[in-house]
Amino acid sequence: MSSAKSHETIQSVLSENRVFDPTADFVARARLDAAKLDALHAAAAKDPVGFWADLAKKELAWQTPFTEALDESNAPNYRWFADGKTNVSVNCLDRHLATRGDKIAIRFEGEKGDTRHYTYKQLYAEVCKLANGLKSLGIRAGDRVVIYMPMVPEAVIAMQACARIGAVHSVVFGGFSATSLKDRIEDAGARLVITADGGHRGGNIVELKKAVDDALAAGAKTIEKVVMLKRTGHEVPFIEGRDLWWHELMAQQADRCDPAWVEAEHPLFLLYTSGSTGKPKGIQHSSAGYLLGATLTCQWVFDLRDDDVFWCTADVGWITGHSYVAYGPLSNGATILMYEGAPTVPDAGRFWKLCQDHGVTIFYTAPTAIRALMKLGDSFPAQYDLSKLRLLGSVGEPINPEAWMWYHRVIGKEKLPIVDTWWQTETGSIMIAPVPGAVPTKPGSCTKPLPGIFADVVDESGEPVKEANAGGYLVIRKPWPSMLRTIWGDNERYIKTYWAQFGNKYYVAGDSAHRDADGYFWIMGRVDDVLNVSGHRLGTMEVESALVAHPRVAEAAVVGRPHEVKGEAVFAFVICKGARPTGAEAEQLAKELRDHVAKQIGAIAKPDDIRFADNLPKTRSGKIMRRLLRSIARGEAITQDTSTLENPAIVDQLAGKA
Ligand code: WTA
């Protein structure tokens, strides 16, 4: 099963047998100990739907209670709590005002060291003002609003303001290019963009407004207005009649706004993610089910309590930033930290200084960041007081045991639990992860599914893989509330991508995994043509389409290769129109193509390696032998049978030997 790319990971994790129990201190204060967790699992096993229904009643504030928990009549388009009405922003803000009004909701620090904060009362007022502002611009429930912003509190305010009036937001990561932005606006049919004059990163200004202008000049005709936050203060074009300043819009608005009571299934947001075709898909999430997942996992996995300062380093442009910056922690009335900037400015101690200065107690980041900071040495974390930290988390890609151990030893001082959390844009919230006061951890394993999540590993025919350490497809057997509802505008693709493989019986995650003898899950990686570069999903076909859009490129094939820090790196084989470039010309063109991909998609998609060849390795039926390209990219000996190739002689050239 699966690709050769999993092989190394399998080797490294098979030899991994260290087990770390939660400390007695942690267990003593934990929300869930082993007995409580067992009780939740037992309740979910006995009555899976009733289990979620009880939690939905207890954890969420409803304007109209639901009477039916799960509607399966149109499966796999499941509906949860469908006749109930609620509002996500009321759950995140209003319900805390009486008890936590003066508590800090958001602490913020910019790269240059500027800080500010919002109490729950202040956040509520800002969200209401913007919600009124959006209404004054004609935005109504169901309208799509694209948010293209830096990691500042206003990004969360924008998301919450949309939720308040029932508008559907689609946040586009600020690192995506104007072209990507335009494609997403067009697919979503958005009426409004909320952006900023720019953002700060690595000492530079990210030209967000310029990208918006370029996107709107190239298309995206559904956009009527652009609301622009003044963040950097540098000069940017302002188009009269279309553009508005955030502060001017806000200045005229009342700081109260009645929420739109929406049905539980009302879409809260679309978030575009890469799949195995060239076109990113708009993952559609619901209001109530989504919020329930985000809320509960904060309690179960992060053990979130009132006195915590929770820092999830993810940008709000990704699902992690939705569920664990903008929604889950606020729904729990927690204090979060947001940081706008690079982890290495002014040096590799920045994250640890932020933890110290803001009294961070729970820290959640990605393996790529851990590996990058690990490489820069132990001396940086050693300079800061990390004694407030009590829990560490990891997300986005498999964490290699070496990085896990560094995190454990140097940041966790060998005491703190590490929660390695497996989930996806599509799952909405964490699915497989240790409950830190109850489940012993093993470096590199996300351990066991959470209560109510029926994960399994199955073979090609859909049968559970019973043998320990044997790989298979990761699937989820039963629907869960925070699951995606569909792909925006393409329900057929939703069914085909996630359900059809095993006859619509269960959700197919697109990852391969195995279980060890203790039933712990080990995620091996994607089984489709999706790469995971620095924890970001990237479709190989997306990069290929970007490359062939360049006038010099006739054909391109993109594969991943292992990368020490990024996890995976992009390796592109490129066939040019005309003669194959060599020497200085090849170098020049490779640079041009990298910049071209950055312009088409975003800097994260830039190929690390570009190799020019006369042809791609194709079978006689014209199929590109991708496995062969993967072996070449990894510098492995070629073991595949190349005799079926139409052009076997090309292999040496692709391998850079001719
Ligand atoms: C991978 C991010 C191993 C996986 C929340 C999944 C992981 C994809 C882990 C989803 C983990 C995420 N261990 N692999 N703890 N977490 N992945 O949609 O391949 O950006 O399918 O969601 O990341 O990426 P996405």
Side-chain angles (χ1 to χ4, degrees):
M1 118 119 254
S2 176
S3 57
K5 77 179 177 191
S6 309
H7 189 69
E8 245 172 41
T9 341
I10 293 174
Q11 284 313 315
S12 79
V13 297
L14 282 184
S15 56
E16 180 55 65
N17 46 28
R18 287 168 285 204
V19 180
F20 296 88
D21 287 316
T23 62
D25 273 3
F26 193 93
V27 178
R29 287 194 65 200
R31 274 173 170 269
L32 293 182
D33 58 14
K36 286 187 185 138
L37 178 61
D38 284 349
L40 285 175
H41 278 301
K46 201 166 145 227
D47 175 9
V49 176
F51 169 77
W52 289 119
D54 289 346
L55 289 167
K57 283 175 202 153
K58 183 168 155 257
E59 295 294 335
L60 301 183
W62 295 89
Q63 189 249 3
T64 308
F66 58 91
T67 60
E68 187 190 21
L70 175 63
D71 172 4
E72 297 184 277
S73 60
N74 204 22
N77 290 109
Y78 294 97
R79 290 157 58 83
W80 286 90
F81 322 124
D83 61 351
K85 283 194 177 166
T86 186
N87 178 283
V88 167
S89 106
V90 168
N91 276 274
C92 293
L93 301 170
D94 308 39
R95 66 166 164 169
H96 306 307
L97 293 180
T99 48
R100 302 184 179 99
D102 295 319
K103 177 178 174 176
I104 293 180
I106 303 181
R107 304 176 65 104
F108 171 76
E109 185 167 326
E111 195 173 72
K112 293 178 174 158
D114 50 314
T115 58
R116 52 200 162 101
H117 67 257
Y118 293 81
T119 65
Y120 271 92
K121 268 188 202 151
Q122 291 165 334
L123 188 62
Y124 166 82
E126 293 301 294
V127 168
C128 286
K129 279 196 273 176
L130 185 62
N132 285 325
L134 294 176
K135 283 209 266 190
S136 75
L137 298 174
I139 300 298
R140 299 281 173 263
D143 287 345
R144 275 81 61 207
V145 172
V146 162
I147 299 175
Y148 185 65
M149 292 189 79
M151 258 312 268
V152 292
E154 287 83 353
V156 172
I157 292 169
M159 293 162 82
Q160 290 281 349
C162 288
R164 192 151 194 97
I165 61 171
V168 181
H169 63 68
S170 184
V171 184
V172 177
F173 172 56
F176 278 125
S177 67
T179 310
S180 295
L181 177 64
K182 170 185 149 288
D183 292 347
R184 284 158 174 76
I185 292 171
E186 286 180 348
D187 191 81
R191 293 183 61 194
L192 185 109
V193 178
I194 305 178
T195 189
D197 52 354
H200 296 292
R201 179 134 187 136
N204 300 315
I205 285 181
V206 186
E207 296 283 355
L208 296 168
K209 176 57 166 44
K210 182 173 186 316
V212 171
D213 289 342
D214 290 350
L216 299 194
K221 295 297 172 214
T222 49
I223 294 296
E224 297 158 25
K225 298 278 179 207
V226 174
V227 176
M228 171 169 44
L229 175 77
K230 189 170 266 189
R231 169 63 182 142
T232 59
H234 76 306
E235 192 89 19
V236 292
F238 188 94
I239 298 182
E240 287 299 336
R242 187 198 74 183
D243 296 350
L244 292 107
W245 284 109
W246 170 293
H247 56 269
E248 289 177 6
L249 178 68
M250 296 285 271
Q252 305 153 14
Q253 307 302 331
D255 58 6
R256 294 246 164 145
C257 172
D258 287 340
W261 298 112
V262 296
E263 290 172 357
E265 284 293 307
H266 183 78
L268 177 65
F269 64 87
L270 309 178
L271 184 58
Y272 285 81
T273 189
S274 296
S276 41
T277 70
K279 192 170 167 261
K281 38 195 182 184
I283 302 299
Q284 180 181 322
H285 277 288
S286 69
S287 294
Y290 168 78
L291 190 66
L292 181 64
T295 305
L296 279 169
T297 47
C298 282
Q299 302 171 13
W300 292 349
V301 180
F302 297 115
D303 192 49
L304 190 60
R305 288 194 312 245
D306 241 343
D307 53 354
D308 279 313
V309 177
F310 182 83
W311 185 22
C312 164
T313 67
D315 192 280
V316 288
W318 310 110
I319 190 69
T320 309
H322 282 59
S323 304
Y324 302 107
V325 178
Y327 291 114
L330 297 182
S331 170
N332 282 288
T335 298
I336 62 166
L337 173 65
M338 290 178 77
Y339 167 62
E340 183 206 9
T344 45
V345 175
D347 61 37
R350 187 62 184 270
F351 271 11
W352 318 124
K353 185 170 191 309
L354 282 155
C355 285
Q356 167 191 281
D357 293 353
H358 295 272
V360 172
T361 59
I362 302 172
F363 178 70
Y364 187 36
T365 196
T368 185
I370 299 168
R371 287 191 298 264
L373 296 174
M374 173 173 87
K375 264 187 88 173
L376 296 167
D378 299 4
S379 63
F380 290 102
Q383 292 164 32
Y384 301 99
D385 175 8
L386 300 178
S387 61
K388 289 253 171 66
L389 283 174
R390 65 181 196 92
L391 180 68
L392 305 174
S394 169
V395 61
E397 52 176 315
I399 178 164
N400 48 311
E402 191 198 355
W404 197 102
M405 287 306 297
W406 183 82
Y407 204 24
H408 169 73
R409 184 173 55 80
V410 178
I411 310 303
K413 316 289 181 210
E414 300 185 348
K415 293 194 307 265
L416 306 191
I418 296 181
V419 291
D420 175 2
T421 62
W422 178 86
W423 60 296
Q424 308 177 292
T425 304
E426 292 87 342
T427 68
S429 58
I430 297 170
M431 304 288 278
I432 311 181
V435 168
V439 178
T441 53
K442 302 183 187 187
S445 167
C446 52
T447 77
K448 295 192 172 188
L450 294 176
I453 303 301
F454 297 86
D456 207 343
V457 177
V458 301
D459 64 18
E460 298 282 342
S461 60
E463 289 303 312
V465 174
K466 298 242 166 66
E467 193 191 333
N469 303 322
Y473 297 96
L474 181 61
V475 300
I476 313 294
R477 288 188 168 278
K478 291 187 197 302
W480 66 102
S482 70
M483 67 197 298
L484 78 164
R485 294 309 193 257
T486 186
I487 293 174
W488 178 257
D490 199 349
N491 197 50
E492 212 173 296
R493 188 174 175 196
Y494 163 73
I495 293 171
K496 193 165 152 251
T497 309
Y498 303 108
W499 300 91
Q501 189 176 355
F502 300 113
N504 291 358
K505 277 200 312 229
Y506 21 83
Y507 171 83
V508 187
D511 279 347
S512 63
H514 70 259
R515 266 174 302 203
D516 66 18
D518 297 326
Y520 275 45
F521 283 72
W522 300 78
I523 309 295
M524 316 313 316
R526 303 286 308 186
V527 290
D528 51 11
D529 293 320
V530 173
L531 306 181
N532 193 326
V533 180
S534 301
H536 303 319
R537 275 163 72 165
L538 202 58
T540 51
M541 297 244 309
E542 263 176 272
V543 185
E544 287 164 9
S545 341
L547 284 166
V548 297
H550 187 278
R552 283 287 317 267
V553 177
E555 221 183 338
V558 165
V559 296
R561 68 159 171 89
H563 186 282
E564 210 189 335
V565 172
K566 299 183 191 180
E568 259 185 311
V570 178
F571 196 120
F573 295 90
V574 172
I575 317 304
C576 285
K577 291 176 189 154
R580 169 167 68 106
T582 53
E585 191 204 351
E587 264 174 49
Q588 175 54 35
L589 184 59
K591 185 183 172 303
E592 203 178 307
L593 291 179
R594 273 190 202 104
D595 293 342
H596 171 77
V597 171
K599 218 172 148 221
Q600 291 276 316
I601 304 175
I604 50 169
K606 272 189 179 186
D608 286 76
D609 309 271
I610 293 186
R611 189 159 295 162
F612 296 104
D614 291 323
N615 221 323
L616 292 172
K618 288 190 186 153
T619 61
R620 294 205 175 83
S621 58
K623 225 172 145 296
I624 298 171
M625 257 178 102
R626 286 183 176 273
R627 278 201 328 194
L628 178 72
L629 291 177
R630 270 202 286 271
S631 299
I632 293 172
R634 299 170 68 107
E636 289 170 353
I638 310 287
T639 54
Q640 287 92 352
D641 178 9
T642 53
S643 65
T644 57
L645 284 182
E646 176 155 313
N647 48 353
I650 202 72
V651 175
D652 277 350
Q653 193 188 72
L654 290 162
K657 291 188 199 136

